Amino acid sequence: MVLSHSLTSFKFLLLSQLFNFFPAICTRRIHKHLPHSLELLELSANKEFPKLGLRITFPQALSSSVFLCKNEIDIGSRSHPYLLYALTVAGVAYLLRLGTVSTYASSSVIREFSLHPHGPITSAAATPTGCLVVGRNDGSLACFQLTLESAAPGFLQELRDDPGIGSLWGFMSRGRTVGAVQDLAISMVHGKPLIFVIHTDGVLRVWDISFHSRLFSHKMNGLTMAGAALVRLWVGQADNDSSIIPLAILYRHNSEMSSETIYIYSLHFNVGDRIVLLMDPSEQIIPIEEDGWIDVKLISNKICILKNQGLVLHKLLHTNVTMVDEVCYALQEDFVADQLFQSSEHSLDDLLLITHSIFSSSKDHILPVVSSIFLRRLLLPGIHHNAALRTTLLDYNRHWTESDFHSLTADGLKKEILSLIEHEGLTGNSSSIFCCWKIFCARYFQNWCKSNAPCGLLVDSSTGTVGLIRKSSVSLFRSLEDIERVNDGSLDELGNFPSFGLDSFGEALDCELLAEMLRCVINVSQQLGKTASAIFYESLISAPPVISSEEIIPRLLKILETGYSSTAAVLHISDLGPDVAWEKNLADHKNLRKFSIDMMLSLHALHEKSGTWSRILSVIENYLKYLIPRKIIQKFDAEVALDINASILVQAMSQVAKVMFESALDIHLFLSYLVSISGQINMLHDDISKIQLELVPMIQEIIYEWLLLHFFATTPSESAAIEDFSSQLSLLQIDSNTGRRSWNEKLGKCEFTLAFIFLLNVRSSSKDQSHCSPRSIPNVQDIIDSIREFASWIMWGQNGESLTVLRRAADLALILLRHGQYDAVEHLLTIVEAHLQKEKTSHRIQATDGGWCILHHLLGCCFLAQAHRGLHGVLKERKVHEAVRCFFRAASGNGSAQALQSLPQEAGLPHLGIDGSVSDAAWRLHYYQWAMQIFEQYNISEGACQFALAALEQVEEAYSANNESHDRAPFDESVSTIKGRLWAHVCKFTLDLNLFYDAYCAIISNPDEESKYIWLRRLIIVLYERGAIKILCGGQLPFIGLTEKVEQELAWKAERSDILAKPNLYKLLYAFEMHRHNWRKAASYMYLYSARLRTETSLKGYQQLWRALKEILNGLSAAINALHLVHPAYAWIDPLLERNVLHNEQYPSKKARITIEDQPASNDVHPQSWKSYIDIQKIENEFVLTSAEYLLSLAHVKWTNTGTQKAPLELVDLLIQTNLYDMAFTVLLRFFKGSELKRGLERVFSAMSLKCCPHIVNSSRVGHDPTTQGLLLTSSKDEVIIHGSPDTSSANQQSSGINQWGTLELYLDRYKVFHARLPLIVAETLLRTDSQIELPLWLVKLFKVGRREKTLGMTGQESSPALLFQLYVDYGRYREATNLLLEYIGSFASMRPANIMNRKRPFGVWFPYTTIQRLWCQLEEMINSGHMVDQCKQLKDLLHGALLKHLQLVKVDSEDALS
């Protein structure tokens, strides 16, 4: 079996029949579950396997009598090349003309006719000319010409025996009836359609449709008399040369055990006026075994019988023999079962035991190998089947729609299956994972068999091609190679032993030795089972390999000698239990002993027969030559399309390559086994040396070649990568051919392997070879010929020239690279490299033709492309490192310059761009620069940086070598220019990698000053953009002679950057200068930052002004702090740079200055003071004003600082109005001195006093009180935190809810030291505002404070009790004034004895007598006016009494003082 192609849109059970003709084969199927529907499939050799078919639905259920044939009604019709006859179970016949199925548009119904009136129908057949022949129950035939009208003459013709002839027989004919028609068939003989009919009474009749006459009648007496019934009839094509028509009739024996037999007959025909037929008395008997048959076909001289177990081909020998030789072909089921370890009960167990014996380590090595083996085999061509795999996944509750599942690539399927296995194997050990694979493969094999149940044969009689129509796929049969026949069957059953096409087997003894040797090889292979080759294959194909293939052979030999390892025995116990495990181990031990003894006996017998081991080794050597792929010289000029023939070729090559690979491995194991037991079989040292030095390398070469062929035929291609818009646009395939689009769609699918890509490069002109004809499907032998040609092209090239392994591998790799198959290139070149390292001459590889350099160059390009195609993380880093390693190795090999320049430009690789002879150093310099550019093109800066540094190492040597040689052209550039360019690239790449220290080192190493400064600016820009600008201030970079340049670049960048950008470069400059202890420069940059921020925010109308003011405060604060670090005599900064001049310069080397002019100088100022410096006091003044503006902005009060150094009193008023008292007093104390300060304080406290008057506050308050808004200065994570923000204490006080009286008391107590009259101002303001207001007690106490027990009367400084008494009198507060006076008079009178002397001093006590007199007069006026008479009289009496006592006391004190 060679080919099994899935038909995703067809799921049917029954195949009716096939009519084939040029150029296509069309088959029809009746759906088991849709009996009203007929579905058609068209196969064409020059097209791909069809994915879609045609479904025709009829109004009634169809019978099995449905026929599809060539349209000979409309001869030459291209629109309707087919005729379809359909007969329903109700007896309605249809004739339809059909178009090509693949491009079907519509069909036309020629005739719909009911056959019900014409009696019960038992069978039917049809011709390409529109004639439908039906057999009836009465033994007659009815021919309906459906192209005519039903009433037209000739529409119906009946064929039956003539009744007139019967009457001549008289009574002898009475009672004789013709049996019902059992089966009929139509065959063309010399252009005439003949009807062959078998009846239930055992009669064979032949009718001529043209003349409506019977040509032949024969009673099959032998078997019918024995009770056998005729069941089916098959008629072969007439052989005009031998004048024989082969017939096959199926008999069913009516015995207790029903059995069937096919008899082959020969009808001789003679063509004259009419055809004369004669039955040949000889017959061939083909018994049908109990397994039964599925379909039978007659072709030329063969009969094909499809059974459940395989296909059997019998040659039709027209001689008098009773039995014929048969050729058996296994079905695809056997191949699938073998590949999935389902053919034997112990296959899977052997795989587990061998893996544990080979891999002595843990599951980390075993599980990947086992999973890779199963995955690789599940997706092999001929095994992978979408419907079966989807059904298997559905068994595990993995639901996929048909379209989604069909769109999965091979990698997607692998991931899905692996995730399922890992999910099922919860424990994660090797036994559980292996058990999951075992169950999965068993289910898949069952579903595969259900989805691909055999339905019927597909036969092309013109080529002898035999295929198999399955339930949802199509298969083809091919002949076996001699090696396959040896491996598949017993050598004793082969009959004529194959000579393998070698003349060296002329002697019979050599053939006998070869047969005996192969028996020993088969014994070794059977002892290890089919799993050893699978593990060995994985060791060769996996990248990186888990274990070397050279290590596997000794471990397999150890299994042959001592059995499975101890870990395998432990698996027996854990899986089977101790008792069953003991029995299993005992059976394995017996099997091993039996194998050892049998091998020893066979080898001794072989040695005795040959006489010497050298002759046996010569036979083996000749046998190995047959395993080598043959070199075939070919001429190619026409493109090979991706058609059915291509699919057949690729899948057949995968099977042949597998067999050849396993055969070579078996020989390898056998020879290694001979060496291991050489002492026991009398093998000489020379024989051992020949095995090790000649035969084993030869086998390794054969294994390598068939490994590559199998790898190409079975490895799925990679899907096309869609990287950018242009790639996507190209995939639209505008104006491209359909084949190219189809190819792009197939990339990545399991069925589209790498071999198809190679087929696109093959051109064939072998028109004389039938197997190369694109108009027919190849037969069983042509497939083998095609395999040999294609294998020769892959291994040896078009003309079979003697290319080295490296050169041919490079050619194949270039083809794969051109089509984006990077993973395949990696595997290919890795296999080639590993194979070459095994060769004994590997040390001379690099000294030959540069092939080793080409290999690593291509590997590097492959790794680089893989890293660029979407890999991330560790995988991408690994690919990049491998690419770097390969490029370095490619450049350092001998002859690399000539070899790499010889690569074709159309290979899809960037051209190296170097011509002529160059020195090794110059070549490496050029190559490293090329590699650097390639890595840069793929945005892989790490690799590009390494090659830039490597190129720098070659510059001096290359330049000197070039100057010493007169044959070479001088460099176009100087050494410094080349180094400058390379160091610039190093800087760029290190910046891409965020290696800022390395980038700076590259800058200072650059000998090109212009380039150095350019990249220094670039470094600063990159650091700024990536938020790493602070690295310049941390002391990490050695500013060797570049400090001023760095500062200049930073300042240049700062001036051209947005002032609000993060991070801010002015702050960086501040940190930069602070780190260098340049305090004044640091202050200058921060002051410039504040100035720019104020200017630009005012111009732009910044919405959140408070944020900008906050930043301005931070800048001014930083400048002040920096200047505080300087000696006070030098605490000033230079005039600022002129920004408008700076902006006009593109790249200034020296920046102009900005001048901030102070207030206009007075006349006595020195002339040069117009360009004054900015001292710390001016900055502090600006800080205070900005703080006031900031706090006002928080309270939503707008005030703009005009830049003057004098704060207006209006600013103080605004601060008081917004309750920003601390800020108001700060401004007063900062900018006002002396009398101005006192006036300002009076103004402030007057305003604060007004706020304490309830009716004034309620009526005059405007807006919202910010104290109720919870004022809290915060900073986001993107802002600089403000330390020591202004008015913090007042904000806290206001937020705590202190009322206005408390505020007034607090600030009056704090600031009265600056102006003693402040309590008076407050009291006067309150009483002036409201004369009836109750002065707070704390305010009254301020007038009384400092008095020593009130012994000195009402004297005082600015705020004395006398002034308070005067205020009371002025504002009509007579009661308070009287009480205050009485208080002090009483205190004076009640003085303690110790203070009497002070009282008696002259001028020691003073009372405001004038004010007292005014009080007395005011009281009298009130009494006279009649206003508050009683109260005023009371106060007057109190005042009168107190004054009398006081005056008397004063008189006494005066007298005492005089005495």
Side-chain angles (χ1 to χ4, degrees):
M1 186 66 61
V2 60
L3 175 65
S4 178
H5 189 84
S6 173
L7 305 173
T8 56
S9 61
F10 290 89
K11 299 177 181 177
F12 319 116
L13 179 63
L14 177 66
L15 169 74
S16 172
Q17 68 177 163
L18 172 91
F19 291 83
N20 63 283
F21 59 93
F22 175 83
I25 298 176
C26 191
T27 65
R28 60 108 182 148
R29 307 178 182 190
I30 301 176
H31 201 292
K32 180 180 180 181
H33 302 291
L34 297 174
H36 294 75
S37 299
L38 177 69
E39 296 176 330
L40 302 175
L41 174 69
E42 185 179 41
L43 301 178
S44 179
N46 57 354
K47 297 181 180 179
E48 300 179 43
F49 274 97
K51 295 181 179 180
L52 299 174
L54 174 64
R55 174 177 291 177
I56 302 176
T57 302
F58 293 87
Q60 297 174 337
L62 295 173
S63 68
S64 59
S65 299
V66 178
F67 309 97
L68 181 66
C69 59
K70 181 180 179 181
N71 183 6
E72 294 186 0
I73 299 174
D74 306 320
I75 299 177
S77 174
R78 294 182 177 272
S79 59
H80 298 88
Y82 302 112
L83 288 181
L84 175 66
Y85 297 87
L87 187 62
T88 66
V89 294
V92 178
Y94 293 88
L95 175 61
L96 292 84
R97 288 186 298 185
L98 300 178
T100 305
V101 175
S102 59
T103 58
Y104 181 77
S106 63
S107 63
S108 59
V109 179
I110 297 178
R111 176 68 63 194
E112 176 183 354
F113 182 72
S114 177
L115 303 180
H116 185 72
H118 298 279
I121 297 174
T122 59
S123 61
T127 66
T129 58
C131 180
L132 175 66
V133 181
V134 297
R136 295 184 287 196
N137 200 28
D138 60 355
S140 64
L141 302 176
C143 301
F144 299 92
Q145 190 64 35
L146 297 181
T147 57
L148 303 176
E149 296 294 332
S150 58
F155 172 76
L156 172 62
Q157 295 290 337
E158 292 189 350
L159 301 179
R160 61 175 70 239
D161 288 336
D162 189 354
I165 298 177
S167 62
L168 297 175
W169 289 91
F171 70 93
M172 294 182 62
S173 64
R174 295 172 185 168
R176 182 180 177 185
T177 60
V178 179
V181 175
Q182 178 65 31
D183 194 14
L184 61 91
I186 298 178
S187 178
M188 301 297 293
V189 178
H190 272 274
K192 295 182 179 181
L194 302 183
I195 306 174
F196 295 80
V197 186
I198 55 174
H199 297 265
T200 56
D201 58 358
V203 177
L204 169 67
R205 288 185 172 88
V206 181
W207 299 83
D208 187 348
I209 299 179
S210 302
F211 296 100
H212 307 100
S213 62
R214 188 181 67 190
L215 298 179
F216 181 75
S217 178
H218 179 74
K219 175 69 173 178
M220 317 300 290
N221 291 323
L223 291 178
T224 56
M225 295 296 293
L230 283 69
V231 180
R232 288 292 304 274
L233 169 66
W234 297 277
V235 181
Q237 290 185 352
D239 187 355
N240 295 327
D241 295 334
S242 60
S243 300
I244 292 177
I245 304 174
L247 300 177
I249 300 178
L250 175 67
Y251 289 88
R252 181 173 295 134
H253 302 277
N254 299 325
S255 58
E256 295 182 358
M257 296 183 63
S258 178
S259 61
E260 295 178 335
T261 305
I262 294 178
Y263 280 74
I264 308 297
Y265 301 97
S266 297
L267 272 178
H268 293 270
F269 64 91
N270 186 15
V271 180
D273 295 337
R274 55 177 299 175
I275 298 177
V276 179
L277 302 175
L278 177 65
M279 176 70 72
D280 193 310
S282 63
E283 59 185 21
Q284 300 174 9
I285 303 173
I286 304 175
I288 304 299
E289 300 174 355
E290 296 180 0
D291 57 350
W293 61 279
I294 299 174
D295 195 12
V296 177
K297 296 292 180 182
L298 282 174
I299 54 172
S300 62
N301 62 341
K302 296 179 183 178
I303 181 172
C304 306
I305 303 175
L306 177 63
K307 300 182 179 180
N308 292 323
Q309 301 300 324
L311 174 68
V312 181
L313 266 64
H314 294 270
K315 290 184 179 181
L316 302 181
L317 302 178
H318 307 296
T319 56
N320 189 12
V321 295
T322 57
M323 296 293 292
V324 296
D325 294 336
E326 64 180 27
V327 178
C328 299
Y329 292 88
L331 296 182
Q332 191 79 7
E333 284 81 351
D334 295 340
F335 175 73
V336 176
D338 180 68
Q339 291 297 303
L340 298 181
F341 306 103
Q342 302 294 317
S343 58
S344 174
E345 180 182 357
H346 304 292
S347 296
L348 283 171
D349 296 333
D350 293 341
L351 175 61
L352 181 62
L353 295 176
I354 288 182
T355 52
H356 277 272
S357 299
I358 292 177
F359 304 101
S360 57
S361 57
S362 61
K363 66 176 183 180
D364 296 335
H365 288 166
I366 297 175
L367 294 183
V369 173
V370 172
S371 297
S372 180
I373 290 174
F374 282 109
L375 276 177
R376 197 181 303 278
R377 295 192 170 213
L378 279 170
L379 302 182
L380 281 177
I383 297 178
H384 169 257
H385 190 271
N386 266 347
L389 186 55
R390 181 169 168 242
T391 304
T392 306
L393 293 177
L394 188 61
D395 295 341
Y396 290 90
N397 294 323
R398 299 293 180 99
H399 298 274
W400 289 83
T401 62
E402 185 173 353
S403 60
D404 291 342
F405 189 79
H406 185 71
S407 64
L408 285 176
T409 62
D411 292 336
L413 288 175
K414 289 179 181 179
K415 292 178 181 178
E416 181 67 19
I417 297 173
L418 274 179
S419 65
L420 185 149
I421 296 298
E422 292 173 356
H423 179 266
E424 293 294 323
L426 297 177
T427 59
N429 56 43
S430 57
S431 297
S432 63
I433 297 295
F434 183 82
C435 183
C436 294
W437 277 116
K438 183 177 181 180
I439 297 173
F440 183 87
C441 288
R443 289 183 177 180
Y444 177 79
F445 180 65
Q446 293 175 0
N447 293 324
W448 193 97
C449 293
K450 291 179 182 178
S451 301
N452 296 277
C455 300
L457 288 173
L458 174 69
V459 178
D460 187 350
S461 58
S462 61
T463 61
T465 302
V466 180
L468 175 59
I469 303 296
R470 297 179 176 271
K471 184 178 179 180
S472 58
S473 63
V474 177
S475 302
L476 292 179
F477 295 93
R478 66 170 177 85
S479 61
L480 299 179
E481 286 274 22
D482 292 338
I483 295 295
E484 292 179 291
R485 293 192 291 113
V486 170
N487 291 346
D488 290 346
S490 174
L491 290 176
D492 298 331
E493 299 175 359
L494 287 179
N496 296 328
F497 186 79
S499 64
F500 299 102
L502 297 178
D503 297 336
S504 58
F505 292 122
E507 298 184 10
L509 180 59
D510 289 345
C511 292
E512 294 178 5
L513 292 177
L514 178 61
E516 292 296 329
M517 183 273 299
L518 290 178
R519 289 188 180 93
C520 295
V521 172
I522 292 174
N523 288 339
V524 173
S525 176
Q526 291 177 348
Q527 179 66 20
L528 291 173
K530 298 181 179 298
T531 59
S533 61
I535 298 174
F536 186 76
Y537 183 87
E538 285 299 320
S539 68
L540 294 173
I541 209 68
S542 59
V546 177
I547 185 174
S548 172
S549 60
E550 296 180 348
E551 299 179 21
I552 290 183
I553 297 297
R555 298 185 184 186
L556 291 175
L557 291 178
K558 185 177 180 181
I559 296 175
L560 291 175
E561 295 172 359
T562 62
Y564 299 120
S565 65
S566 58
T567 57
V570 174
L571 285 176
H572 278 314
I573 298 175
S574 60
D575 295 341
L576 305 176
D579 296 335
V580 179
W582 182 82
E583 295 178 359
K584 175 66 176 173
N585 291 332
L586 182 61
D588 292 341
H589 183 66
K590 291 181 178 179
N591 184 34
L592 179 62
R593 289 186 60 189
K594 182 178 182 301
F595 165 76
S596 300
I597 295 173
D598 291 345
M599 283 297 297
M600 195 61 62
L601 294 176
S602 300
L603 292 175
H604 279 288
L606 183 63
H607 181 250
E608 291 178 0
K609 182 176 292 188
S610 65
T612 60
W613 279 108
S614 59
R615 183 168 186 175
I616 299 175
L617 297 180
S618 299
V619 171
I620 295 175
E621 184 177 5
N622 291 330
Y623 171 74
L624 289 176
K625 293 178 181 178
Y626 176 76
L627 298 180
I628 301 174
R630 303 179 187 178
K631 293 182 181 180
I632 300 176
I633 300 177
Q634 309 165 50
K635 296 181 180 180
F636 305 102
D637 56 9
E639 183 175 356
V640 177
L642 298 178
D643 51 17
I644 289 181
N645 290 341
S647 300
I648 295 171
L649 172 59
V650 171
Q651 195 173 140
M653 190 176 72
S654 69
Q655 297 176 1
V656 173
K658 171 184 173 295
V659 173
M660 294 298 188
F661 173 83
E662 293 177 349
S663 299
L665 176 60
D666 292 341
I667 296 295
H668 192 357
L669 290 172
F670 172 70
L671 293 177
S672 300
Y673 184 75
L674 291 183
V675 173
S676 65
I677 61 171
S678 57
Q680 306 176 37
I681 57 176
N682 302 323
M683 182 173 286
L684 300 178
H685 179 73
D686 293 341
D687 298 329
I688 298 175
S689 299
K690 182 175 182 178
I691 292 176
Q692 295 176 340
L693 300 179
E694 298 181 17
L695 297 184
V696 170
M698 185 178 180
I699 295 174
Q700 290 176 344
E701 186 72 20
I702 296 172
I703 289 176
Y704 158 77
E705 292 170 351
W706 288 111
L707 171 71
L708 287 185
L709 293 172
H710 188 268
F711 170 75
F712 293 142
T714 59
T715 302
S717 58
E718 297 178 55
S719 56
I722 302 177
E723 300 174 355
D724 51 21
F725 177 77
S726 60
S727 301
Q728 299 180 27
L729 187 63
S730 64
L731 289 179
L732 294 177
Q733 301 298 331
I734 300 175
D735 295 333
S736 62
N737 54 46
T738 306
R740 179 71 179 180
R741 289 197 299 270
S742 175
W743 176 53
N744 285 332
E745 293 174 358
K746 287 178 175 291
L747 284 174
K749 301 297 183 181
C750 295
E751 63 272 10
F752 194 78
T753 61
L754 300 175
F756 286 98
I757 297 177
F758 291 135
L759 281 174
L760 294 174
N761 294 270
V762 175
R763 306 291 186 267
S764 175
S765 61
S766 305
K767 298 181 180 179
D768 56 329
Q769 300 179 14
S770 61
H771 61 273
C772 294
S773 174
R775 313 182 74 87
S776 62
I777 298 176
N779 58 27
V780 292
Q781 182 58 40
D782 293 337
I783 295 173
I784 296 298
D785 297 335
S786 299
I787 294 172
R788 292 171 180 170
E789 288 188 7
F790 189 41
S792 175
W793 183 89
I794 291 178
M795 298 309 304
W796 312 111
Q798 177 173 337
N799 299 320
E801 59 269 19
S802 299
L803 295 175
T804 63
V805 172
L806 283 172
R807 278 293 182 178
R808 187 54 187 163
D811 293 341
L812 298 176
L814 286 172
I815 295 174
L816 295 176
L817 278 175
R818 189 184 306 132
H819 296 91
Q821 303 301 308
Y822 304 115
D823 291 341
V825 173
E826 177 189 357
H827 281 83
L828 168 62
L829 299 182
T830 303
I831 293 171
V832 173
E833 184 179 10
H835 169 68
L836 293 177
Q837 289 175 351
K838 296 177 184 177
E839 293 186 349
K840 302 301 180 182
T841 60
S842 62
H843 62 279
R844 296 197 302 268
I845 292 176
Q846 297 190 41
T848 55
D849 57 353
W852 191 260
C853 301
I854 293 177
L855 182 144
H856 285 93
H857 177 79
L858 297 179
L859 260 181
C861 294
C862 170
F863 287 133
L864 187 59
Q866 287 176 324
H868 182 63
R869 285 190 63 175
L871 293 180
H872 302 283
V874 178
L875 291 178
K876 182 174 182 178
E877 292 180 3
R878 186 181 304 163
K879 294 296 182 181
V880 171
H881 293 163
E882 288 296 322
V884 171
R885 178 186 66 86
C886 290
F887 283 136
F888 274 120
R889 297 187 69 180
S892 61
N894 295 330
S896 60
Q898 293 75 16
L900 296 182
Q901 290 180 77
S902 66
L903 291 176
Q905 295 186 22
E906 66 274 9
L909 300 175
H911 185 51
L912 294 176
I914 187 172
D915 299 317
S917 176
V918 293
S919 64
D920 292 340
W923 158 251
R924 287 193 294 270
L925 172 62
H926 183 86
Y927 186 80
Y928 291 156
Q929 291 184 84
W930 172 88
M932 175 192 70
Q933 294 171 2
I934 296 302
F935 277 96
E936 181 182 9
Q937 178 183 344
Y938 287 154
N939 295 323
I940 303 176
S941 299
E942 180 182 358
C945 184
Q946 294 188 45
F947 282 103
L949 292 172
L952 280 168
E953 296 178 358
Q954 303 295 326
V955 173
E956 294 288 350
E957 183 180 353
Y959 195 82
S960 60
N962 190 77
N963 291 336
E964 293 174 0
S965 176
H966 300 286
D967 299 333
R968 301 188 179 104
F971 282 103
D972 297 333
E973 299 173 304
S974 63
V975 173
S976 61
T977 303
I978 298 174
K979 285 188 174 182
R981 186 180 68 252
L982 292 175
W983 277 120
H985 280 97
V986 172
C987 182
K988 175 186 180 300
F989 302 141
T990 51
L991 285 178
D992 294 339
L993 297 171
N994 293 330
L995 301 175
F996 304 122
Y997 181 83
D998 295 341
Y1000 182 77
C1001 292
I1003 291 173
I1004 62 178
S1005 301
N1006 196 329
D1008 189 342
E1009 292 296 327
E1010 182 179 358
S1011 177
K1012 178 187 297 186
Y1013 296 144
I1014 291 174
W1015 280 100
L1016 181 61
R1017 173 186 285 186
R1018 178 61 182 165
L1019 171 65
I1020 293 174
I1021 294 174
V1022 171
L1023 291 175
Y1024 174 75
E1025 293 175 348
R1026 299 184 186 176
I1029 198 73
K1030 295 180 181 179
I1031 193 175
L1032 296 176
C1033 310
Q1036 303 176 19
L1037 302 181
F1039 297 117
I1040 304 175
L1042 293 176
T1043 303
E1044 298 299 329
K1045 193 65 179 178
V1046 170
E1047 179 186 351
Q1048 182 184 11
E1049 292 297 336
L1050 286 174
W1052 185 86
K1053 178 65 177 176
E1055 289 292 338
R1056 285 154 179 79
S1057 301
D1058 186 2
I1059 194 64
L1060 298 176
K1062 304 289 183 178
N1064 190 275
L1065 288 174
Y1066 286 104
K1067 296 178 182 180
L1068 175 70
L1069 283 166
Y1070 170 77
F1072 182 77
E1073 300 296 348
M1074 290 293 287
H1075 182 74
R1076 297 172 56 216
H1077 296 177
N1078 292 334
W1079 319 121
R1080 290 173 56 195
K1081 273 194 174 182
S1084 299
Y1085 284 119
M1086 289 311 294
Y1087 188 79
L1088 179 59
Y1089 167 62
S1090 301
R1092 272 196 62 189
L1093 188 58
R1094 177 176 292 279
T1095 302
E1096 294 188 13
T1097 51
S1098 62
L1099 292 176
K1100 295 179 181 178
Y1102 193 56
Q1103 296 296 327
Q1104 292 183 327
L1105 181 61
W1106 65 272
R1107 293 184 182 272
L1109 292 173
K1110 186 178 179 181
E1111 282 296 306
I1112 293 173
L1113 285 174
N1114 291 338
L1116 295 174
S1117 177
I1120 293 170
N1121 294 335
L1123 289 178
H1124 276 300
L1125 298 175
V1126 185
H1127 190 276
Y1130 304 98
W1132 51 271
I1133 60 177
D1134 293 328
L1136 301 179
L1137 302 177
E1138 191 67 39
R1139 290 184 61 242
N1140 57 352
V1141 178
L1142 186 62
H1143 275 292
N1144 293 332
E1145 298 185 19
Q1146 295 297 324
Y1147 187 71
S1149 60
K1150 185 176 181 179
K1151 301 178 177 64
R1153 297 291 185 178
I1154 295 179
T1155 302
I1156 293 183
E1157 297 184 359
D1158 204 350
Q1159 296 295 325
S1162 59
N1163 294 331
D1164 56 348
V1165 178
H1166 210 269
Q1168 65 267 24
S1169 63
W1170 68 273
K1171 194 175 182 180
S1172 64
Y1173 60 85
I1174 302 173
D1175 59 10
I1176 190 172
Q1177 184 178 0
K1178 293 180 181 180
I1179 300 176
E1180 289 175 347
N1181 291 342
E1182 187 175 350
F1183 177 81
V1184 173
L1185 293 176
T1186 305
S1187 300
E1189 184 180 2
Y1190 167 68
L1191 293 175
L1192 288 173
S1193 68
L1194 291 177
H1196 306 287
V1197 177
K1198 187 174 182 181
W1199 179 82
T1200 304
N1201 183 9
T1202 59
T1204 61
Q1205 294 294 323
K1206 189 69 175 178
L1209 287 175
E1210 291 78 5
L1211 171 61
V1212 180
D1213 295 339
L1214 288 175
L1215 293 172
I1216 295 301
Q1217 290 176 11
T1218 53
N1219 297 335
L1220 300 173
Y1221 305 116
D1222 275 346
M1223 194 69 248
F1225 289 115
T1226 302
V1227 172
L1228 283 173
L1229 296 176
R1230 181 73 189 178
F1231 294 98
F1232 297 90
K1233 304 296 180 183
S1235 61
E1236 290 183 351
L1237 174 61
K1238 290 183 177 181
R1239 286 195 299 270
L1241 289 173
E1242 291 175 1
R1243 185 170 180 168
V1244 169
F1245 278 98
S1246 177
M1248 294 177 67
S1249 301
L1250 290 175
K1251 288 189 174 186
C1252 295
C1253 300
H1255 65 282
I1256 297 298
V1257 173
N1258 293 334
S1259 61
S1260 63
R1261 180 170 297 177
V1262 180
H1264 297 285
D1265 187 358
T1267 61
T1268 63
Q1269 300 178 9
L1271 178 61
L1272 182 63
L1273 299 180
T1274 60
S1275 62
S1276 66
K1277 64 181 180 180
D1278 294 331
E1279 298 169 355
V1280 179
I1281 300 176
I1282 301 177
H1283 298 284
S1285 60
D1287 209 42
T1288 304
S1289 60
S1290 66
N1292 293 334
Q1293 294 163 10
Q1294 294 168 21
S1295 63
S1296 63
I1298 298 178
N1299 56 22
Q1300 296 292 343
W1301 286 107
T1303 304
L1304 181 60
E1305 177 187 6
L1306 174 66
Y1307 287 101
L1308 187 59
D1309 182 69
R1310 181 183 299 174
Y1311 291 101
K1312 67 181 179 179
V1313 296
F1314 294 97
H1315 191 8
R1317 289 180 58 87
L1318 289 180
L1320 177 63
I1321 299 300
V1322 171
E1324 184 180 5
T1325 303
L1326 293 173
L1327 291 174
R1328 184 175 60 248
T1329 303
D1330 185 3
S1331 61
Q1332 300 301 319
I1333 193 171
E1334 187 73 26
L1335 293 180
L1337 181 61
W1338 57 267
L1339 181 59
V1340 176
K1341 288 182 178 180
L1342 290 178
F1343 288 89
K1344 302 176 182 180
V1345 68
R1347 310 306 299 168
R1348 293 176 293 175
E1349 299 183 3
K1350 305 175 183 178
T1351 59
L1352 300 180
M1354 300 180 73
T1355 61
Q1357 299 296 327
E1358 299 286 340
S1359 298
S1360 61
L1363 291 177
L1364 179 60
F1365 177 74
Q1366 184 179 350
L1367 286 175
Y1368 281 153
V1369 175
D1370 292 342
Y1371 290 99
R1373 304 293 294 272
Y1374 305 128
R1375 180 180 296 279
E1376 286 82 354
T1378 303
N1379 291 336
L1380 180 61
L1381 181 61
L1382 292 178
E1383 178 185 354
Y1384 275 86
I1385 291 176
S1387 176
F1388 179 79
S1390 61
M1391 186 178 299
R1392 291 181 297 179
N1395 295 326
I1396 291 178
M1397 293 304 296
N1398 292 331
R1399 188 179 69 185
K1400 294 183 180 290
R1401 281 182 184 176
F1403 310 105
V1405 178
W1406 177 85
F1407 284 96
Y1409 298 108
T1410 303
T1411 307
I1412 293 173
Q1413 184 180 1
R1414 285 179 57 205
L1415 175 61
W1416 181 268
C1417 294
Q1418 291 290 339
L1419 289 175
E1420 286 182 346
E1421 290 178 3
M1422 292 288 290
I1423 293 172
N1424 294 332
S1425 64
H1427 183 67
M1428 299 177 63
V1429 176
D1430 294 338
Q1431 294 180 5
C1432 290
K1433 285 183 177 182
Q1434 183 182 1
L1435 292 175
K1436 185 178 180 181
D1437 292 341
L1438 290 174
L1439 182 61
H1440 181 265
L1443 288 174
L1444 286 177
K1445 292 180 181 181
H1446 175 69
L1447 292 175
Q1448 291 174 1
L1449 182 60
V1450 171
K1451 182 180 180 181
V1452 174
D1453 290 341
S1454 299
E1455 293 175 353
D1456 292 341
L1458 292 175
S1459 59

